[in-house]
């Protein structure tokens, strides 16, 4: 029996990296996974890969910054699967710039819209479904950048700090209704966002006590725990998975 057997899991932003690893693992652990992203061909390829391993999976193309598309997604999932047990808000972008060069529209607004506003919009859409069920687990992807200072990533870090704060607040508000809200805070993780040997990798890696970056699967293991009933008494936490980066 899988650790999330029979759960309906909606993952926002899973065509690559951490989201893809999470969709793959949760499907392997018995969930019905619905995942999104903007890239239709890539999404369909990931869907085929997971299905070929026996996973129950559906890709739904959706830009998480477009409200009508998010609404159509949730309507589709509820109509087709009847419930949403787990929402994993994972869509994100990282745009480097030192403080004086932050472009407010193309960096700050885009970062906030993708990393933060989309999470709020999705939670507003999914929460009524979970309230009706009297149960649900929401996992928001934050970052160690939301905890420690990262001079080249101020909008990004601000978006992730806000994610942690909103997660705390919603956890407190909806604990009595059976809905758990937790965040994960990945450290340096190799994906399309952060490639091995990139400037970002070279800048961050020396500060990682474990002396290596993570694979996306190492984040997926933490997300599986928060999605599963193994974490049934855990809410309002920000699970840091960073090889010790934030305590160094
Ligand atoms: N890699 C790291 O070191 C690291 C560290 C801390 C936190 N994180 C966080 O982890 C999450 C996943 O990042 P990753 O490292 O796995 O990077 P990634 O491989 O670039 O994955 C990002 C995912 O977000 C999706 N996405 C971006 N904008 C979207 C939008 N408007 N609508 C829907 N989906 C969207 C992308 O899909 P499409 O392109 O198909 O839309 C992709 O599936 C992000 O929230 C990131 O901030 C990463």
């Amino acid at each position: 029996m899988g650790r999330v057997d029979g759960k309906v899991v909606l993952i926002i932003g899973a065509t690559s990296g951490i989201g893809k690893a999470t969709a793959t693992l949760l499907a392997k652990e018995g969930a019905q996974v619905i995942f999104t992203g903007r890239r239709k061909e890539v999404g369909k390829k990931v869907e085929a890969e997971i299905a070929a391993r026996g996973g129950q999976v559906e890709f739904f193309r959706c830009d998480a910054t477009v409200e009508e598309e998010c609404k159509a997604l949730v309507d589709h999932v509820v109509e087709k699967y009847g419930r949403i047990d787990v929402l994993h808000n994972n869509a994100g972008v990282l745009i480097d710039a030192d403080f004086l060069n932050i472009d407010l529209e193309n960096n700050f607004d885009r970062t906030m819209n993708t990393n933060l506003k989309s999470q709020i919009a999705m939670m507003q859409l999914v929460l009524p479904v979970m309230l009706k069920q009297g149960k649900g687990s929401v996992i928001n992807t934050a970052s160690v950048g939301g905890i420690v200072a990262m001079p080249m990533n101020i909008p990004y870090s601000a978006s992730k700090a806000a994610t942690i704060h909103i997660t705390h607040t919603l956890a407190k508000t909806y604990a009595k209704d059976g809905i758990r809200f937790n965040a994960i805070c990945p450290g340096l993780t190799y994906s399309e966002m952060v490639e091995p040997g990139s400037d970002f990798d070279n800048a961050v890696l020396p500060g990682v006590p474990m002396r290596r970056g993570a694979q996306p699967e190492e984040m997926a293991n933490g997300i599986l725990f928060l999605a599963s009933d193994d974490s049934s008494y855990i809410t309002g936490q920000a699970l840091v998975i960073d090889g010790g980066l934030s305590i160094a």
Side-chain angles (χ1 to χ4, degrees):
M1 183 163 161
R3 287 171 66 190
V4 283
D5 241 0
K7 287 192 192 290
V8 177
V9 175
L10 176 56
I11 308 178
I12 308 303
T15 48
S16 59
I18 294 168
K20 178 183 172 183
T22 304
T24 304
L25 180 62
L26 269 62
K28 185 177 157 222
E29 290 290 337
Q32 166 63 59
V33 172
I34 303 95
F35 73 95
T36 74
R38 294 161 301 176
R39 292 171 294 173
K40 191 171 177 185
E41 277 180 21
V42 180
K44 280 289 181 197
K45 195 162 164 267
V46 172
E47 179 191 68
E49 280 171 30
I50 296 173
R53 293 187 192 133
Q56 297 188 66
V57 64
E58 180 183 358
F59 168 70
F60 192 100
R61 204 215 74 87
C62 171
D63 184 333
T65 64
V66 180
E67 223 176 312
E68 311 82 69
E69 293 187 16
C70 294
K71 191 170 177 329
L73 163 71
V74 174
D75 286 349
H76 168 77
V77 174
V78 172
E79 198 181 319
K80 186 163 174 185
Y81 301 100
R83 54 190 295 115
I84 301 174
D85 298 297
V86 177
L87 169 66
H88 178 208
N89 277 316
N90 181 67
V93 289
L94 170 69
I95 307 166
D96 287 345
D98 64 67
F99 180 66
L100 292 177
N101 288 312
I102 293 168
D103 180 323
L104 289 180
E105 202 173 311
N106 292 319
N107 183 343
F108 189 84
D109 287 353
R110 195 177 145 219
T111 301
M112 286 296 170
N113 284 341
T114 307
N115 297 9
L116 183 62
K117 196 169 154 195
S118 77
Q119 294 190 342
I120 294 170
M122 281 309 306
M123 290 190 287
Q124 285 184 327
L125 288 166
V126 170
L127 193 54
V129 180
M130 290 184 167
L131 285 171
K132 237 188 247 173
Q133 296 166 184
K135 195 175 175 193
S137 172
V138 177
I139 303 147
N140 293 322
T141 301
S143 167
V144 284
I147 300 171
V148 301
M150 293 175 64
M152 288 299 286
N153 307 115
I154 287 175
Y156 180 83
S157 298
S159 74
K160 298 302 190 178
T163 287
I164 295 170
H165 196 279
I166 288 170
T167 303
H168 285 160
T169 306
L170 294 178
K172 195 168 180 176
T173 310
Y174 293 103
K176 65 181 185 325
D177 301 299
I179 323 292
R180 301 187 294 113
F181 289 83
N182 292 289
I184 64 145
C185 300
L188 183 68
T189 307
Y190 297 128
S191 65
E192 288 185 10
M193 184 179 280
V194 178
E195 294 188 352
S198 60
D199 289 349
F200 188 84
D201 184 29
N202 291 334
V204 177
L205 186 55
V208 181
M210 288 182 76
R211 291 286 179 265
R212 67 172 180 86
Q215 293 303 318
E217 289 74 17
E218 296 179 281
M219 304 301 133
N221 287 331
I223 296 156
L224 169 63
F225 172 64
L226 293 173
S228 77
D229 293 338
D230 291 344
S231 59
S232 54
Y233 201 55
I234 299 179
T235 196
Q237 298 304 303
L239 177 61
V240 178
I241 309 176
D242 70 347
L245 175 61
S246 57
I247 47 117

